[in-house]
């Protein structure tokens, strides 16, 4: 599996878990929503970690582009992390309306970010790394 | 391969798309008032009052929002920002708004010189945009299907504009050639099925997965649909000019199939979407796709029924039922999202959520008014006694849309009740 395939699949996995949590909040099934949200939270953070600690530094080293697209992706991660924390607070407070209202923004933020990565960054990475791409995927946590 | 033009974060300032979005319901409202005052019937389709009414909607509402959306979407889809957008956006917006108002005045009062001035203003509005877009797209690193659809839509727009120029000139010279009717139809075909439909299809590729966490459209479709539609439209125009009805029918059936496929795929993607939350924007999307299917069905059926009023109804259902619904639904997502996005970007917290910015009740009422307006407008195509009902409903529906969009965005400018994060 190259970077595009592996990381895009992981985007879908994050979405699935998050959407499941969101659906449980709609039903006000707080116990299961908590578990599901905790899984999604961990998934998103694992995804950010894979990029920030392995893929981005490798890409920056190879291309010499430190202030380019990876930097933008990093700053979007900061924002998504902050929104995830805010969502967590609404979940703990069992505030359905606040959670779902913010969830709307979060989902667009995430999907927009994923598209930029899937349509541009990952394919650039696969081109830059060539055959190395699969090895990098294997090294990911 | 890599240079500084790859900009993944250059979302334009909120003012740039918002000025287009807020202006569109104002033209919708004007179109409603225009019906009340000046359109006694839709049956004489070539009458100047019907031409004015149609363009208040197609240019004032549809093209207005579509341009605003393109300013917003280019950075996300192509990784490029329109050069000099701070100057280009107000210029395009100003020329389109003033040009269209003048167009309405000049056509309704049949003032040939003013018609030319209006046409020149509208032409410059679009040309400025097209030139700016194309010179920017040269730098796009990855030509996605959405970008291809943008290019197809802009090419169709250019064809439609050239034909519009020809039509205006023939009004001025008071000479209609034997091709006049064929040119009118080709203008309508490229405007509706090229510029409007292609752009909406291209935007759908992007926003259906983005807003609803749905699957992507089938690759086969995203790869070929736009090219196929464009070729079919050229075929349609050609068969009109050479006056060959059977060739025309053949092309028409194929266009109908490609567009029906889009509508059915979209409904399928939405039904299978991962997020089960239903909001007004979802109603708008379903409704739009059903209306697209209805207009396709009616249009094909009319090849055998040959009813002039039914043709008018096809256009009404396509423009007001399909295009306007999709666009309104999208604005209800995009405007609150952008407001939230820009405010959090600027470090504000304790923000109202997207749902709180407008409120489901108001958008639902507006959706119902929109559906009733379409219904009344479709009946008006057959029955002139629906003039008042149609005009009143159109005014109400667009006034509420305007109020909703202002309600959803004014917090960005007032910053009322917001606290800034201190670092």
């Amino acid at each position: 599996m190259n970077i595009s395939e592996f990381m895009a699949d992981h985007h879908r996995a994050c979405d699935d878990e998050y959407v499941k949590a969101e659906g449980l909040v709609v039903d006000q099934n707080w116990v299961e929503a908590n578990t599901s949200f905790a899984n999604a939270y961990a998934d998103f953070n694992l995804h950010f970690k894979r990029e920030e600690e392995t893929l981005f530094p490798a890409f920056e080293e190879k291309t010499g582009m430190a202030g380019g697209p990876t930097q933008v992706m990093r700053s979007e991660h900061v924002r998504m992390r902050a929104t995830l924390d805010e969502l967590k607070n609404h979940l703990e407070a069992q505030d359905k309306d606040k959670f779902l209202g913010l969830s709307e923004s979060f989902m667009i933020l995430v999907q927009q970010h994923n598209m930029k990565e899937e349509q541009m960054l990952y394919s650039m990475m696969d081109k830059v790394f060539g055959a190395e791409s699969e090895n990098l995927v294997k090294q990911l946590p | 391969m890599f240079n500084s033009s790859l900009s993944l974060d250059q979302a334009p300032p909120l003012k740039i798309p918002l000025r287009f979005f807020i202006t569109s319901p104002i033209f919708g409202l004007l179109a409603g008032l225009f019906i009340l005052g000046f359109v006694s019937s839709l049956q004489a389709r070539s009458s100047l009052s019907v031409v004015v009414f149609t363009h208040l909607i197609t240019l004032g509402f549809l093209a207005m929002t579509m341009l605003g959306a393109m300013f917003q979407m280019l950075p996300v889809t192509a990784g490029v920002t329109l050069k000099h957008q701070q100057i280009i956006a107000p210029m395009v917006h100003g020329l389109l708004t003033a040009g269209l108002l003048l167009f309405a005045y000049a056509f309704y009062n049949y003032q040939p010189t003013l018609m030319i001035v209006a046409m020149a203003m509208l032409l410059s509005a679009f040309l400025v945009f097209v030139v700016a877009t194309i010179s920017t797209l040269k730098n796009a690193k990855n030509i996605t299907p959405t970008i291809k659809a943008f290019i197809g839509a802009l090419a169709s727009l250019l064809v439609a504009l050239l034909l519009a120029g020809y039509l205006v000139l023939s009004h001025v010279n008071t000479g209609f050639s034997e091709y006049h009717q064929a040119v009118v139809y080709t203008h309508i075909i490229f405007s509706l099925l090229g510029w409007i439909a292609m752009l909406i299809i291209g935007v759908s590729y992007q926003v259906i997965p983005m807003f609803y966490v749905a699957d992507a459209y089938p690759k086969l479709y995203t790869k070929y649909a736009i090219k196929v539609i464009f070729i079919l439209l050229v075929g349609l125009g050609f068969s009109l000019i050479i006056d060959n009805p059977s060739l025309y029918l053949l092309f028409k059936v194929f266009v109908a199939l490609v567009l029906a496929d889009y509508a059915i795929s979209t409904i399928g993607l939405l039904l299978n979407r991962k997020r089960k939350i239903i909001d007004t924007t979802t109603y708008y999307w379903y409704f739009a796709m059903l209306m697209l299917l209805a207009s396709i069905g009616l249009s094909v059926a009319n090849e055998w029924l040959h009813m002039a009023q039914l043709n008018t109804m096809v256009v009404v259902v396509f423009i007001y039922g399909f295009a306007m619904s999709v666009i309104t639904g999208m604005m209800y997502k995009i405007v609150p999202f952008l407001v939230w996005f820009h405010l959090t970007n600027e470090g504000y917290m304790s923000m109202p959520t997207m749902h709180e910015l407008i409120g489901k009740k108001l958008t639902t009422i507006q959706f119902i008014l929109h559906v009733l307006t379409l219904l009344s407008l479709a009946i008006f195509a057959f029955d002139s006694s629906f003039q008042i009902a149609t005009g009143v409903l159109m005014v109400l529906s667009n006034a509420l849309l305007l109020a909703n969009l202002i309600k959803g965005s004014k917090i960005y400018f007032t910053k009322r009740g917001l606290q800034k994060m201190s670092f």
Side-chain angles (χ1 to χ4, degrees):
Chain A
M1 246 189 212
N2 61 19
I3 294 172
S4 296
E5 290 159 352
F6 184 82
M7 293 303 279
D9 278 356
H10 196 233
H11 279 159
R12 299 293 91 78
C14 292
D15 287 351
D16 287 345
E17 197 58 53
Y18 180 80
V19 167
K20 194 172 146 197
E22 193 189 50
L24 289 163
V25 172
V26 173
D27 300 338
Q28 307 204 44
N29 183 345
W30 299 107
V31 179
E32 285 185 42
N34 270 319
T35 318
S36 202
F37 184 83
N39 290 339
Y41 190 92
D43 270 348
F44 275 109
N45 279 298
L46 172 65
H47 191 86
F48 299 152
K49 189 177 159 159
R50 284 172 170 171
E51 293 180 336
E52 290 171 359
E53 292 180 10
T54 311
L55 296 175
F56 291 176
F59 178 78
E60 287 158 0
E61 198 187 307
K62 189 101 179 171
T63 59
M65 284 174 78
T70 46
Q71 200 45 44
V72 177
M73 294 296 106
R74 278 196 177 90
S75 68
E76 292 191 2
H77 289 171
V78 171
R79 182 132 192 216
M80 286 189 278
R81 281 196 181 99
T83 313
L84 267 172
D85 284 332
E86 214 180 319
L87 281 164
K88 197 172 158 203
N89 292 339
H90 294 321
L91 186 73
E92 279 162 8
Q94 304 197 346
D95 191 335
K96 180 181 162 184
D97 290 341
K98 280 277 181 201
F99 182 93
L100 294 177
L102 184 62
S103 183
E104 197 64 48
S105 308
F106 178 67
M107 269 290 98
I108 301 178
L109 207 60
V110 170
Q111 298 308 319
Q112 193 172 284
H113 175 81
N114 291 356
M115 275 183 190
K116 290 179 202 169
E117 291 188 335
E118 289 172 29
Q119 293 175 358
M120 286 178 273
L121 190 59
Y122 293 157
S123 51
M124 279 163 74
M125 285 181 166
D126 280 322
K127 269 185 213 161
V128 167
F129 294 121
E132 253 179 274
S133 169
E134 297 199 6
N135 287 333
L136 262 174
V137 167
K138 283 180 197 148
Q139 286 169 32
L140 293 174
Chain B
M1 178 175 169
F2 306 114
N3 59 37
S4 59
S5 65
L6 184 83
S7 50
L8 295 171
D9 68 329
Q10 293 171 356
L14 182 62
K15 270 196 299 190
I16 286 187
L18 195 62
R19 60 156 63 75
F20 290 92
F21 296 160
I22 297 281
T23 312
S24 64
I26 299 177
F27 273 108
L29 210 154
L30 284 177
L33 291 174
F34 192 79
I35 284 204
L36 285 174
F38 308 108
V39 186
S40 54
S41 154
L42 282 184
Q43 288 167 22
R45 273 194 301 156
S46 52
S47 81
L48 291 172
S49 60
V50 175
V51 169
V52 170
F53 164 67
T54 311
H55 287 85
L56 285 173
I57 296 290
T58 52
L59 295 178
F61 192 99
L62 302 180
M64 186 66 77
T65 11
M66 286 155 69
L67 292 175
M70 284 175 93
F71 276 106
Q72 181 63 39
M73 288 191 75
L74 278 169
V76 183
T77 47
V80 290
T81 304
L82 223 62
K83 282 179 206 146
H84 314 299
Q85 55 176 0
Q86 302 275 20
I87 304 164
I88 304 268
M91 195 199 280
V92 170
H93 176 263
L95 281 167
L96 180 58
T97 305
L100 183 53
L101 291 173
L102 187 63
F103 175 95
Y105 176 82
F107 267 73
Y108 188 71
N109 296 298
Y110 206 75
Q111 306 236 352
T113 324
L114 288 182
M115 282 178 179
I116 294 202
V117 179
M119 183 68 218
M121 287 169 79
L122 292 171
L123 202 61
S124 354
F126 288 113
L127 281 182
V128 168
F129 182 79
V130 169
V131 171
T133 309
I134 289 174
S135 66
T136 308
L137 279 180
K138 277 193 315 205
N139 301 322
K141 284 291 162 290
N142 190 5
I143 302 291
T144 60
T146 298
I147 297 296
K148 284 183 192 154
F150 282 3
I151 295 170
L154 290 174
S156 306
L157 175 67
L158 285 180
V159 175
L161 284 171
L162 284 175
L163 298 174
Y166 172 87
L167 293 172
V168 168
L169 286 178
S170 53
H171 270 290
V172 175
N173 299 328
T174 58
F176 293 149
S177 74
E178 54 178 312
Y179 298 116
H180 185 79
Q181 209 50 40
V183 174
V184 170
Y185 282 125
T186 313
H187 166 75
I188 296 173
I189 285 169
F190 273 88
S191 307
L192 301 187
L193 307 179
W195 159 237
I196 294 174
M198 282 183 190
L199 194 78
I200 290 178
I201 291 174
V203 170
S204 308
Y205 293 164
Q206 203 80 21
V207 301
I208 291 286
M210 193 195 288
F211 291 163
Y212 303 101
V213 195
D215 288 335
Y217 284 82
K219 278 225 165 73
L220 193 68
Y221 195 86
T222 55
K223 195 165 178 195
Y224 295 111
I226 295 297
K227 284 180 206 156
V228 170
I229 295 174
F230 195 84
I231 293 167
L232 292 171
L233 297 190
V234 172
L236 277 173
F238 177 72
S239 45
L240 281 169
I241 305 280
I242 63 163
D243 197 18
N244 185 331
S246 16
L247 195 60
Y248 177 80
L249 183 61
L250 183 72
F251 282 122
K252 180 168 169 170
V253 169
F254 279 111
V255 175
L257 287 173
V258 181
L259 291 178
D261 188 4
Y262 157 74
I264 293 167
S265 304
T266 308
I267 292 174
L269 292 174
L270 285 172
L271 285 174
N272 293 316
R273 72 191 190 281
K274 291 179 192 164
R275 292 186 83 196
K276 295 300 173 203
I277 290 170
I278 293 178
D279 57 18
T280 314
T281 71
T282 350
Y283 303 147
Y284 260 115
W285 273 95
Y286 281 125
F287 182 68
M289 293 306 131
L290 292 175
M291 289 306 103
L292 175 57
L293 288 173
S295 68
I296 294 168
L298 291 172
S299 174
V300 173
N302 207 29
E303 287 298 323
W304 285 273
L305 297 170
H306 301 294
M307 288 165 68
Q309 296 110 318
L310 196 58
N311 253 340
T312 309
M313 197 167 136
V314 167
V315 176
V316 162
V317 174
F318 183 93
I319 293 176
Y320 214 94
F322 161 60
M324 205 161 158
S325 304
V326 170
I327 286 175
T328 308
M330 271 194 267
M331 283 201 288
Y332 278 146
K333 275 275 195 222
I334 293 172
V335 170
F337 175 73
L338 290 179
V339 168
W340 177 87
F341 179 83
H342 284 282
L343 281 174
T344 47
N345 231 8
E346 290 169 21
Y348 287 96
M349 36 187 261
S350 63
M351 274 281 303
T353 62
M354 272 175 74
H355 289 172
E356 291 161 335
L357 280 170
I358 303 180
K360 192 174 177 181
K361 205 169 152 191
L362 288 171
T363 53
T364 310
I365 296 171
Q366 197 276 328
F367 171 71
I368 294 167
L369 283 170
H370 173 78
V371 173
L372 293 175
T373 309
L374 170 70
L375 198 66
S376 181
L377 190 62
I379 303 172
F380 185 42
F382 289 88
D383 181 350
S384 303
S385 68
F386 271 71
Q387 180 189 2
I388 305 291
T390 307
V392 169
L393 281 166
M394 199 175 288
V395 168
L396 289 177
S397 159
N398 282 285
L400 186 54
L401 175 58
L402 177 64
N404 285 346
L405 293 178
I406 291 175
K407 181 172 185 274
S409 54
K410 69 167 190 265
I411 191 170
Y412 178 79
F413 301 97
T414 61
K415 317 271 197 253
R416 190 169 296 155
L418 298 180
Q419 291 168 319
K420 203 154 190 169
M421 235 182 295
S422 49
F423 291 102

